Amino acid sequence: MSHQKELSALRAALKSHITPDKAEILQRFFKTGPGEYGEGDQFHGVVVPDQRRVARQFKTLALPAVEQLMQSAFHEERLTALFILIHQFEMGNLTVKERIFQTYVRNMVYINSWDLVDSSAPHIIGAWLEQRDRSQLYEWADSDDLWQRRIAMLATFRYIKNGEFEDALKIADKLVDDPQDLIHKAVGWMLREIGKRDLARERQFLDRHAATMPRTMLRYAIEKLPEPQRQAYLKLKP
């Protein structure tokens, strides 16, 4: 089967899982209205478990076709493409991994929602840079683009899971005054994950920033702390 025929078959498979009225619900959930972060995004109305099933079915889709799918106007097609990329990255040799990393970076403009970022950045960006120079993460953390900043933060989840916190904490330092709520949530989440593994390291960060960091970021960061510690940090906020 040609790449284009296989891509058409994948799209047909996705559409076979459409749930009536789900598209409208997803458009509201992902804030697709004027001025919202997902403005103009389109949805078929396919839930994530069905997207994962389709991704498994087409996991060997040729990379040019996956890249084409990444550029779709439909959210579910972009996320399905990312699920396929993750599978191919994890199964691939060094050459394949590098091609997938470059494809991901080249198409960052299409990785433009929190679920697309969160599902993929640790598994591709974080994984590829794990044994390499990570300076690119810091460039993305300084970007004017919301999604590049979130990719930088979420990529460090890979390292946090391995007990390595330095990059996450340095990027959190860069983003601690970020104006965007979706960055507040991402930073707070990664701080919470650090705290699960090394509470002292998280508290060092919080002791420096709790009084001035955005309230949403603080609430995410302290969610799992003992209640007396949570209240003590919350009282630092004006």
Side-chain angles (χ1 to χ4, degrees):
M1 186 184 297
S2 71
H3 299 342
Q4 288 306 309
K5 285 184 177 179
E6 193 170 12
L7 184 55
S8 295
L10 183 155
R11 285 178 159 143
L14 271 179
K15 289 177 182 177
S16 74
H17 291 291
I18 288 174
T19 301
D21 303 323
K22 190 68 174 177
E24 184 177 347
I25 294 168
L26 290 170
Q27 284 170 343
R28 289 198 302 270
F29 182 74
F30 284 100
K31 310 292 186 185
T32 62
E36 296 181 309
Y37 69 78
E39 181 176 356
D41 205 356
Q42 299 180 52
F43 289 82
H44 287 305
V46 181
V47 298
V48 171
D50 288 331
Q51 292 174 58
R52 289 189 182 277
R53 289 188 193 96
V54 172
R56 287 194 294 271
Q57 181 182 350
F58 292 89
K59 62 187 179 183
T60 60
L61 185 67
L63 190 55
V66 180
E67 185 169 13
Q68 188 175 339
L69 195 65
M70 286 180 74
Q71 298 171 2
S72 171
F74 287 94
H75 192 107
E76 295 100 331
E77 293 188 5
R78 301 199 303 281
L79 184 54
T80 300
L82 290 169
F83 289 150
I84 294 171
L85 277 189
I86 292 165
H87 172 81
Q88 293 184 1
F89 184 94
E90 291 175 347
M91 297 296 104
N93 59 28
L94 195 62
T95 299
V96 169
K97 289 179 191 293
E98 183 171 15
R99 286 183 65 205
I100 290 171
F101 172 80
Q102 296 296 346
T103 299
Y104 189 102
V105 172
R106 187 165 61 246
N107 288 279
M108 272 187 175
V109 67
Y110 302 104
I111 306 169
N112 56 356
S113 186
W114 57 266
D115 62 322
L116 304 180
V117 171
D118 300 359
S119 297
S120 61
H123 303 290
I124 295 176
I125 298 297
W128 177 253
L129 296 179
E130 191 163 18
Q131 304 301 325
R132 295 174 177 82
D133 175 27
R134 299 178 191 171
S135 59
Q136 183 69 74
L137 294 180
Y138 294 85
E139 293 179 27
W140 290 326
D142 287 331
S143 172
D144 291 334
D145 183 85
L146 160 65
W147 305 115
Q148 288 190 16
R149 300 199 302 278
R150 189 162 174 125
I151 285 169
M153 190 73 258
L154 263 294
T156 68
F157 200 4
R158 173 85 175 198
Y159 318 136
I160 292 170
K161 288 178 178 179
N162 294 331
E164 184 184 343
F165 310 130
E166 291 305 318
D167 289 299
L169 290 168
K170 288 177 181 176
I171 290 173
D173 258 323
K174 280 182 169 288
L175 298 176
V176 72
D177 297 317
D178 197 279
Q180 292 289 340
D181 180 69
L182 285 168
I183 300 299
H184 303 169
K185 292 174 180 177
V187 174
W189 174 19
M190 291 302 99
L191 291 172
R192 184 174 74 235
E193 291 296 332
I194 291 170
K196 288 179 183 178
R197 297 159 175 86
D198 189 334
L199 183 56
R201 295 297 298 278
E202 182 190 14
R203 292 198 63 180
Q204 287 171 7
F205 187 95
L206 292 174
D207 289 345
R208 292 200 312 275
H209 295 294
T212 57
M213 68 199 300
R215 184 170 290 274
T216 296
M217 186 184 295
L218 178 61
R219 286 190 176 278
Y220 268 61
I222 65 177
E223 183 179 339
K224 299 298 184 181
L225 295 186
E227 188 60 23
Q229 293 180 21
R230 285 187 70 257
Q231 291 303 321
Y233 281 120
L234 287 172
K235 287 175 183 176
L236 295 176
K237 293 295 295 178

